[in-house]
Amino acid sequence: MSTTTEKAATPPPAPAGRRVRKPSMGVQNAAGWLFSTPFLVLFTVFMAFPILATLVMSFTDFGLRNVTRPWEADFIGFENYVKLFGDEKFLKSLFNTGYFVVVGVPLTIAIGLLTAVLLNNGIDRARTFFRVGFYAPVVTTIVAVAVVWRFVLDPSDGLIAGLFSEVGWSAPDVLGSEKLAMPSLIVMAVWRNVGTVMVLFIAGLQAVPTEVREAAKLDGANVWQEFRGITVPLLRPTILYATVITTIGYLNVFEEPFVMTQGGPSDSTLTVSLNMYREGFNFFHMGYASAMAYVLFVVIMGITVLQLRLLKDNTK
């Protein structure tokens, strides 16, 4: 009896040759827009609108008085941009940022690559421990990093002061020196960011075919020849990516000088991002700070395009 009931409840099979109807293109597009709507709303409200508003603001004298009445800001054209390149403080912050990038990026890439090679080939035991140790500064908050580095660099009770006292010398006040403050911040930034570059290079090294290395060894290549002739050429796409993202990050450097030196001494560690923050949120020259932001944006875009053209040609 149950068998008869199950047969009666089973729907008849579809006629042979009959195809299941797929949703029309319009229905698929509507479903796609429906699922994309939350992202588009958030992107428009928190990204697109502020970007466009900042661009418009850079052509006005927008200030504290216009926060509640933005429509009363006066349109002044390119006056903010012209003023920037006559502003000695902005030019100094631009120079400091360039110095930070020119010195910091090659150091970060070189140390990250060397560390990745050692962890991938030279260290057999506790490899995971060393990888986690090198990557730990990346996920450490800037406040914790600042506390550690202030202790290390403190000229009276810090770690360096203790080392200097062992040989009878007095430790220099590196964060209070116009010549040593920026190099100290560069060392700190390299220490924080080398873990990210290391992870990228480890991933790239693991993609290098072992057969190629073995063939090079059979041909009599030593470690340096193998590294220069095989490892580096095969890692060029990774080097390109690491260089671009590190350069962009260093051009936007803000936390290190903000926490450690506040741009001092005598603006020797004042960067464009820190200068922009001061103008916008300390002095409420928001139109002027917006112009500064777009000059930095143009600089970042120009350097990125230049790097992609120069380094991408070498990856072909």
Side-chain angles (χ1 to χ4, degrees), residues 7 18 25 71 106 118 133 223 280 291 294 299:
K7 289 182 179 180
R18 185 178 178 181
M25 187 62 68
W71 55 85
L118 292 176
V223 176
Y294 270 91
V299 171

Side-chain angles (χ1 to χ4, degrees), residues 153-155 160 171-182 184 261 265:
L153 301 175
D154 189 284
I160 292 181
D173 184 8
V174 292
L175 294 180
S177 169
E178 294 184 26
K179 294 182 179 180
L180 298 177
M182 182 60 82
S184 302
T261 63

Side-chain angles (χ1 to χ4, degrees), residues 227-239:
F227 176 78
R228 185 185 61 180
I230 295 176
T231 303
V232 172
L234 293 177
L235 280 180
R236 278 175 178 169
T238 308
I239 293 173

Side-chain angles (χ1 to χ4, degrees), residues 106-213:
L107 280 176
T108 305
I109 298 299
I111 296 175
L113 179 57
L114 177 62
T115 306
V117 171
L118 292 176
L119 290 178
N120 193 60
N121 298 326
I123 298 178
D124 296 326
R125 296 182 179 180
R127 184 177 298 176
T128 303
F129 170 78
F130 283 104
R131 289 181 182 180
V132 173
F134 281 110
Y135 193 75
V138 179
V139 296
T140 306
T141 63
I142 183 60
V143 176
V145 170
V147 170
V148 172
W149 279 86
R150 280 185 180 276
F151 169 72
V152 171
L153 301 175
D154 189 284
S156 57
D157 300 320
L159 179 63
I160 292 181
L163 295 176
F164 272 73
S165 64
E166 292 294 329
V167 294
W169 297 347
S170 59
D173 184 8
V174 292
L175 294 180
S177 169
E178 294 184 26
K179 294 182 179 180
L180 298 177
M182 182 60 82
S184 302
L185 294 186
I186 291 173
V187 172
M188 173 181 168
V190 171
W191 177 78
R192 282 192 68 202
N193 294 283
V194 74
T196 302
V197 178
M198 177 200 70
V199 170
L200 293 174
F201 283 133
I202 287 177
L205 287 169
Q206 291 179 349
V208 175
T210 56
E211 296 82 2
V212 178
R213 293 180 178 177

Side-chain angles (χ1 to χ4, degrees), residues 214-291:
E214 292 174 356
K217 291 179 180 178
L218 290 175
D219 290 338
N222 55 33
V223 176
W224 170 247
Q225 290 172 336
E226 177 188 342
F227 176 78
R228 185 185 61 180
I230 295 176
T231 303
V232 172
L234 293 177
L235 280 180
R236 278 175 178 169
T238 308
I239 293 173
L240 168 63
Y241 178 73
T243 302
V244 169
I245 64 169
T246 305
T247 302
I248 293 174
Y250 282 7
L251 284 169
N252 285 291
V253 59
F254 173 77
E255 293 93 344
E256 287 84 355
F258 179 77
V259 174
M260 297 294 291
T261 63
Q262 287 292 312
S266 302
D267 294 332
S268 60
T269 59
L270 180 67
T271 61
V272 175
S273 295
L274 181 57
N275 194 12
M276 185 197 320
Y277 172 83
R278 285 182 176 180
E279 291 291 339
F281 297 100
N282 289 352
F283 308 128
F284 296 101
H285 300 154
M286 297 178 183
Y288 190 61
S290 299

